[in-house]
Amino acid sequence: MRFLLDDEQRAFARSLDGMLTAAGTPAAARAWAAGEHAPGLAVWRGLGTAGVFALAAPEEHAGVGPLPVETAVAFVELGRHAVPGPLVETVASVALLSRLAELGSPDAAERLLPGLVGGSAVATLTLTGVGVGTGTDAGVGTGTGTDAGFDAGGTDTGAGSATGPRALDPDAATVLLAAGDGEIRLAPGHTDPRATLDPTRRSAGLLPGGERLASGAHADTAARRARDWAALATAAQCLGVGYALLDRTVAYVRRRAQFGVPVGSFQAVKHRLADVLVGLEFARPLVFGAAVALAGGDRQAEVDLAAAKVATGDAAHQAARAALQLHGAIGYTAEYDLSLWLLKARALRGAWGGPEEWRGRVVRAVGEVRAAGGRVPSGGECRRG
Amino acid sequence: MDLDLTAAHKEFGRRARAWLAGHVPRRPLPSLETAEGFAAHRAWERELAADRWSVVSWPEEYGGRGAGIVEWLLFEEEYHGAGAPGRVSQNGISLLAPTLFDFGTSEQRARLLSPMARGETVWAQAWSEPEAGSDLASLRSTARRASGGWVLNGQKTWSSRAAFADRAFGLFRSDPAADRPHRGLTYLMFPLDADGVTVRPVGRLDGKPAFAELFLDDVFVPDEDVIGEPGQGWRIAMSATGDERGLTLRPPGRFLATAERLVREWRAHGDPSDTALRDRVADAVIGARAYQLYTWAGVARGAAGAPLGAESSLNKVFWSEHDIAVHETALDLLGTECGDWTEGYVFALAGPIYAGTNEIQRDLIAERLLGLPKGRR
């Protein structure tokens, strides 16, 4: 029992932090939002060199993984630096292709993983029939599934809705994966990208047809793996976004004076930020607990991934609301960099399944996990009076 | 980074589970906050102690098992998972005992700890006064030097468990001339049936006498019942309130068991189409798991040499708010006739107030962890 990042993992976080600070990620994010992908793709190649995308792939396919804990470490930093692009989608695609290879279909992995792992290729992904929506926060009413079970053959209607699932940033991607409903295919193209609330995140539908990489049970199994990694990476990224919002706001309220004193000395301000820290500090261990469970193939991962997704979404959202309020009007401007994190916090909360989907999963999964451990008596036990 | 238990830890957990399975009363005991329930809970402490399960983390010579923190946390998970009774001795075990281990004399430990472990002496705390709540250092009750001891005068209030307890511990002003309010305070213990002590039980929200006012009128306390150096009481007491806010008062096993119980209630009584309520049931599970994992992370940091500092304030805000939310959810699911949950709800409502109000904790978080400037409270 040592539930603590080791020196190497902390050094990895520090080196990514240093690299991303030097890279000037806010400027890259703004360019990305304007449709200029080159600065963002330069950062992307740096991430590939640093080994971020190798963490989800096994050694026989150019990777060093699977290492969910290190992946979470990396995605906290990616969130902290507001790095643009389909990061979660690429890591989830790497996990998906790696799983297909494990299941005896290594062709796609051999072809696609070297580029994705190295950072020269970018993937985007849609997942359907695995109980969560896609990475683009389409909302419950427009295509993400609600309350579908873990069974990939379940009743998730998100996949089949009229608009279809939306993929994040397909115009920046070279690998367009459409997974779920019993097959995995390389989509031949995408519809015109549309703006979302977060200008660095544009979405489009993937076109039907294209090369089929897998079908049947293997496709479902690989899609579920992708879903788990997407949830983990999104939660970690969201956590990093939340800490960035808190750090920037703390710095601001220490500096900003009104009535002759820093506004950070007012109790109303302090208490709001204290609550933000409480939210983030108690979401953080859920992310790493989920990563540890995923690494160990533990059934607890089902509860922990869902818990991490919900808690990080809430904590970052709370951080964003506090950050905007405590910055005042300057925080409400697009020009000020805070906006990058404010909008990303909102987007990530709904990406890869909204809070209600994942909360439903928590309640279902906790019974299954406990039942497997033989602990839960059935029935209510309310003692009246 | 791992969450793996050693074989020895697992074995410890199994032994605790086996003992609890054979001993936990089949029907819940009457409320701890009644004379009848207090006596029943005292008897339960005796039963725990007979097989060395009442204070597992203490050294064996005082009735414990010398368990490390991981084993203690596992014991608490098993204890609450088994639905075992609340701990009437908690004030003594989690607040006074750590203070005695750190600051007491070997004579005090030998005299006081074993009766505490067996439930023979149940302890109440005597911190707050009518004019000293959050601003505890402004307390006015006095300890005046006398031959061979001290003479106490003044009034204490909100003294948890004092209505039925045997002894109390608290802070008294021993040097009225000290230059700062938190200097010149002395940490003392006294019997609640001593000459000059009047205990007036106070009904909490539901009317049960969960706490009391204490009136002290020339109460003599011998020197042997002073903890640490006279005048050093503030420093000594603050080390205990850190424990109260953090780990030792509210181990995660308590919240895990409550969340599991709420899920069972939801399955038995919930309307599956009521996703708003289902989401709150989910939050009970998520919060309990977050608290458990946060605790394991804290244990790992502690093992790596980092002291538990202002993080205990994060802990306190989290569990106290979580506890209320879980019980609110249960009441919305089951109504307010369900005795166990309503009693738990009333208890939970006090959480953000005691052990340093959550407002004080948020000040500490903002100033000590976020580095925000001090301001007027």
Side-chain angles (χ1 to χ4, degrees), chain A residues 321-378:
Chain A
R321 292 292 310 276
L324 176 55
Q325 183 65 25
L326 299 180
H327 274 81
I330 185 71
Y332 191 63
T333 62
E335 190 181 342
Y336 196 63
D337 279 345
L338 188 75
S339 63
L340 297 172
W341 288 276
L342 288 176
L343 296 175
K344 197 171 298 298
R346 191 61 189 79
L348 292 177
R349 187 177 194 221
W352 296 107
E356 55 296 304
E357 284 182 58
W358 286 106
R359 282 190 167 96
R361 187 173 299 280
V362 166
V363 173
R364 279 193 305 277
V366 75
E368 293 163 17
V369 171
R370 294 294 181 236
R375 269 283 283 278
V376 176
S378 59

Side-chain angles (χ1 to χ4, degrees), chain B residues 53-316:
Chain B
W53 290 109
S54 72
V55 286
V56 295
S57 60
W58 291 10
E60 290 186 13
E61 62 179 305
Y62 304 118
R65 291 170 176 262
I69 191 157
V70 172
E71 289 166 319
W72 177 71
L73 288 166
L74 293 176
F75 171 76
E76 291 292 330
E77 286 186 13
E78 295 297 339
Y79 188 88
H80 292 284
R87 300 296 303 274
V88 69
S89 291
Q90 185 171 51
N91 280 325
I93 291 170
S94 63
L95 290 175
L96 179 59
T99 306
L100 288 171
F101 282 120
D102 288 352
F103 300 96
T105 64
S106 53
E107 183 278 325
Q108 287 172 331
R109 288 192 281 272
R111 174 163 54 92
L112 301 171
L113 289 175
S114 293
M116 186 193 298
R118 292 192 297 266
E120 288 162 17
T121 309
V122 176
W123 290 83
Q125 44 183 323
W127 306 120
S128 294
E129 298 181 3
E131 302 301 327
S134 287
D135 184 10
L136 182 62
S138 69
L139 64 88
R140 298 173 183 177
S141 294
T142 56
R144 194 179 69 242
R145 200 74 182 102
S147 172
W150 299 79
V151 174
L152 308 185
N153 278 285
Q155 183 183 349
K156 294 287 180 180
T157 192
W158 318 135
S159 180
S160 298
R161 305 276 145 80
F164 307 111
D166 307 301
R167 290 173 69 90
F169 54 93
L171 288 180
F172 292 83
R173 191 163 297 287
S174 52
D175 179 7
D179 57 347
R180 300 276 293 278
H182 59 270
R183 294 190 185 141
L185 300 175
T186 296
Y187 199 132
L188 291 132
M189 302 173 281
F190 55 96
L192 287 166
D193 61 356
D195 286 346
V197 177
T198 304
V199 178
R200 192 183 78 81
V202 178
R204 69 173 179 192
L205 212 49
D206 63 359
K208 293 187 179 120
F211 45 22
E213 287 181 296
L214 309 178
F215 300 90
L216 299 126
D217 185 12
D218 283 339
V219 178
F220 179 78
V221 174
D223 282 330
E224 63 183 23
D225 283 338
V226 173
I227 303 180
E229 289 297 310
Q232 294 297 310
W234 183 260
R235 189 171 60 86
I236 296 168
M238 286 306 107
S239 80
T241 57
D243 290 331
E244 186 182 16
R245 286 198 290 269
L247 257 189
T248 55
L249 191 69
R250 292 288 177 264
R254 176 192 178 94
F255 301 109
L256 291 167
T258 306
E260 281 191 20
R261 191 167 158 237
L262 183 61
V263 171
R264 291 199 294 274
E265 304 278 21
W266 167 256
R267 284 166 199 256
H269 305 291
D271 168 4
S273 69
D274 185 353
T275 54
L277 196 55
R278 181 210 61 191
D279 283 357
R280 291 165 60 199
V281 173
D283 285 338
V285 175
I286 294 168
R289 179 67 172 159
Y291 190 58
Q292 182 189 32
L293 291 171
Y294 182 86
T295 301
W296 289 130
V299 168
R301 282 196 304 273
L308 181 69
E311 285 82 3
S312 68
S313 294
L314 292 170
N315 238 358
K316 202 258 160 167

